[in-house]
Amino acid sequence: MLTFEGQQHMGSENIMKKLLSVGKPAHDVKTMDVQPGPTASTLIIFVSGTVRIDNGNPLHFCESFQLVST
């Protein structure tokens, strides 16, 4: 399920339809920092930059991810 601006979209077909309707994104990554996580098989990643949708005004973003090897 995807929740986007308060609306819920259930199932892969509905999620893809919503994502495609938003417009074409273009990311410009400014920084990416990778740190070891709490275990030997974990990485914490921080990414920041800007994203433009259909060549509109740039929007700043900052994301964090935790990757765990199984």
Side-chain angles (χ1 to χ4, degrees):
M1 178 168 54
L2 168 74
T3 302
F4 186 86
E5 296 181 340
Q7 296 179 345
Q8 294 183 343
H9 306 276
M10 184 69 82
S12 59
E13 185 176 319
N14 289 330
I15 291 171
M16 287 304 298
K17 183 178 177 183
K18 179 59 183 176
L19 291 175
L20 292 172
S21 75
V22 171
K24 183 176 179 178
H27 294 82
D28 183 17
V29 173
K30 300 291 184 192
T31 65
M32 181 174 63
D33 298 308
V34 181
Q35 302 294 325
T39 66
S41 62
T42 306
L43 293 175
I44 308 294
I45 303 170
F46 301 94
V47 182
S48 66
T50 58
V51 61
R52 292 177 184 260
I53 299 184
D54 289 334
N55 292 320
N57 291 330
L59 303 169
H60 296 278
F61 73 88
C62 181
E63 297 282 343
S64 60
F65 305 89
Q66 177 174 285
L67 299 179
V68 180
S69 176
T70 56

